Amino acid sequence: MHIVVTGMGIVSPIGIGVEKFWENAVDGVNGIASIQSFDAAKQRSRIAGEISDFDPATFLTAKQIEQTDRFTQLALHAANQAMTDAGSLESYEPRRLAVCLGSGMGGFSTFEYSAARKLQSKSIPPFSVPRIMTNSAGAWIATRYGLKGVNLTCSTACSSGANAIGMALDLLRSGKADAVVTGGAEACVLPLTMSGFEALFALSTGFNNDPAHASRPFAKGRDGFVMGEGAGILILEREEAAQQRGAKIYAELAGYGCACDATHIVAPDMGGQVAAMQAALDDAGLTPDKVDYINAHATSTPIGDVIETKAIKQLFGERAPEIPISATKSMIGHSIGASAAIGSIAAIMTLQTGTIHPTINLLEADPECDLDYTPNTAVQKYVRTVLCNAFGFGGNNASLIYTTR
């Protein structure tokens, strides 16, 4: 059984819509800037990958905007793109149409706003709870399109989007759904949320006056990740059914692997990452020599990029230096639960175009990061199989395999 991608949608700091996103990704456009959505003067990290041209009023009513958190609004916009791209799903029974989304934090903008008002003895919005719920994005997508099948939300920190896509794959393989709207959404450019990551020394704080060079995966002198926001949505269905309804097929989702480190709540572990990548390959029925490109997790943290490099070397051995790798986060920052969904779209577009987008800001690599990270300039290469990584807090590691059809 082959499970294929027939629709895609994206909202990102370097473009809304797959075409614009991909054009800017290939050109190495930088989406990191000083924070504009709130006064960040008191933050240690005052930069982020924000989506400055996003206006929910273009597709939602005033009442719907009042009832939804920003992360849900981002998810709805990306889902609308993906559903339009996929074409009519009317050939499927509504009870066979599923939703499976990932989000690490859910409606935290509503949480922060409501908590602040409560502490000031002010009233909070009546829809605070349904806006905050991590499953609200999936619920709104289902309601908007009449999708009455399984509706799941996966929250495994930074691997949420990847695990949600993997869960969608399992739903289709097991026969519990005929088509699935899947991916991830996140909106964490927020004062309290960012302060929490600052307390863990996870965010970049040394490039506040030079935001364009702050997100620098694998580079010497990197000092943490840059917070980002966004949403990526895929439509998955069985190949035979997609062909019968004349859908465009972008790629096959051939494999999914996940593994828990069970070692530390926030520190990455090479063994867990290797296990997730190997599990994805096993699930796809492929050997490591078949991988042509890796879309890396690559957050730009001092330890994380080194561990991922070592994991790739462990799994791929002598061939590791030959595999082109790139870090989408170098341009858009780390969108937590949405990152693997956005990375998946980049991986699929690599299959479609034969172009590998660059890892920007890689002028001098960390000596411990000595693989081919496609520095600064896109390259052309015939690619048939890609590996997309997502590793999150809680020791949650997930990998996805996409192939050409």
Side-chain angles (χ1 to χ4, degrees), residues 13-14 24 28-33 211-215 330-332 360-361:
I14 60 170
N24 285 335
V29 172
N30 196 305
I32 309 300
H213 295 97
S215 188
S330 64
M331 292 173 278
I332 64 173
I360 66 171
N361 295 326

Side-chain angles (χ1 to χ4, degrees), residues 51-72:
I51 303 164
S52 59
D53 54 349
F54 177 74
D55 181 6
T58 60
F59 66 100
L60 295 176
T61 66
K63 185 176 181 180
Q64 290 170 334
I65 292 172
E66 181 183 358
Q67 294 178 350
T68 53
D69 186 86
R70 182 174 175 85
F71 98 103
T72 294

Side-chain angles (χ1 to χ4, degrees), residues 64-117:
Q64 290 170 334
I65 292 172
E66 181 183 358
Q67 294 178 350
T68 53
D69 186 86
R70 182 174 175 85
F71 98 103
T72 294
Q73 296 166 9
L74 297 174
L76 282 167
H77 197 299
N80 182 63
Q81 297 171 39
M83 292 291 279
T84 300
D85 188 31
S88 175
L89 298 180
E90 292 180 355
S91 58
Y92 296 120
E93 290 290 331
R95 296 285 178 193
R96 302 289 298 168
L97 296 173
V99 180
C100 193
L101 288 194
S103 184
M105 307 295 288
F108 249 62
S109 65
T110 299
F111 171 81
E112 292 197 20
Y113 174 79
S114 298
R117 288 187 62 85

Side-chain angles (χ1 to χ4, degrees), residues 44 54 77 98 121 159 189 216 236 240 243 246 321 336 382 387:
R44 290 175 54 220
F54 177 74
H77 197 299
S121 299
S159 61
V189 183
R216 42 198 301 115
L236 301 181
E240 183 178 359
Q243 290 174 335
I336 314 298
Y382 179 61
L387 170 70

Side-chain angles (χ1 to χ4, degrees), residues 38-55:
F38 68 91
D39 182 0
K42 295 182 179 180
Q43 301 287 143
R44 290 175 54 220
S45 181
R46 299 189 290 276
I47 56 178
E50 293 181 294
I51 303 164
S52 59
D53 54 349
F54 177 74
D55 181 6

Side-chain angles (χ1 to χ4, degrees), residues 247-258:
K248 177 179 179 179
I249 293 176
Y250 284 98
E252 177 183 357
L253 174 56
Y256 160 58
C258 60

Side-chain angles (χ1 to χ4, degrees), residues 132-395:
I132 292 169
M133 296 186 316
T134 309
N135 69 309
S136 61
W140 272 91
I141 290 172
T143 301
R144 192 172 184 88
Y145 298 103
L147 313 178
K148 298 183 178 182
V150 177
N151 194 307
L152 300 175
T153 295
C154 179
S155 188
T156 54
C158 309
S159 61
S160 298
N163 278 318
I165 294 169
M167 290 164 62
L169 176 65
D170 289 343
L171 287 175
L172 289 162
R173 285 174 169 173
S174 66
K176 294 179 179 178
D178 291 332
V180 187
V181 179
T182 187
E186 208 78 82
C188 285
V189 183
L190 303 163
L192 177 59
T193 302
M194 291 186 63
S195 293
F197 281 103
E198 288 170 2
L200 290 170
F201 299 98
L203 294 185
S204 171
T205 58
F207 292 85
N208 288 321
N209 296 322
D210 185 18
H213 295 97
S215 188
R216 42 198 301 115
F218 307 113
K220 184 177 181 180
R222 66 191 182 283
D223 69 335
F225 76 81
V226 177
M227 186 63 75
E229 61 177 355
I233 299 293
L234 308 177
I235 308 299
L236 301 181
E237 51 191 308
R238 297 183 190 89
E239 183 178 40
E240 183 178 359
Q243 290 174 335
Q244 287 177 351
R245 69 179 190 86
K248 177 179 179 179
I249 293 176
Y250 284 98
E252 177 183 357
L253 174 56
Y256 160 58
C258 60
C260 182
D261 295 342
T263 57
H264 196 281
I265 195 67
V266 296
D269 175 77
M270 185 184 77
Q273 296 180 9
V274 171
M277 291 188 285
Q278 183 64 66
L281 286 167
D282 291 344
D283 189 45
L286 298 173
T287 52
D289 62 292
K290 298 299 183 182
V291 174
D292 301 312
Y293 162 65
I294 299 172
N295 186 277
H297 183 60
T299 59
S300 186
T301 59
I303 187 172
D305 294 354
V306 172
I307 295 297
E308 185 170 13
T309 296
K310 290 181 177 179
I312 291 170
K313 292 165 84 171
Q314 175 72 25
L315 180 60
F316 293 95
E318 294 182 356
R319 188 169 172 266
E322 303 171 8
I323 305 172
I325 302 164
S326 61
T328 308
K329 295 181 184 71
S330 64
M331 292 173 278
I332 64 173
H334 190 359
S335 53
I336 314 298
S339 61
I342 294 173
S344 289
I345 291 173
I348 292 165
M349 290 306 294
T350 296
L351 291 171
Q352 283 282 304
T353 65
T355 302
I356 297 172
H357 78 66
T359 300
I360 66 171
N361 295 326
L362 189 49
L363 300 179
E364 183 179 0
D366 180 331
E368 292 189 86
C369 298
D370 54 356
L371 298 177
D372 176 8
Y373 307 111
T374 319
N376 307 307
T377 304
V379 300
Q380 296 293 314
K381 182 178 179 180
Y382 179 61
V383 174
R384 291 182 55 85
T385 301
V386 298
L387 170 70
C388 182
N389 284 335
F391 309 134
F393 283 179

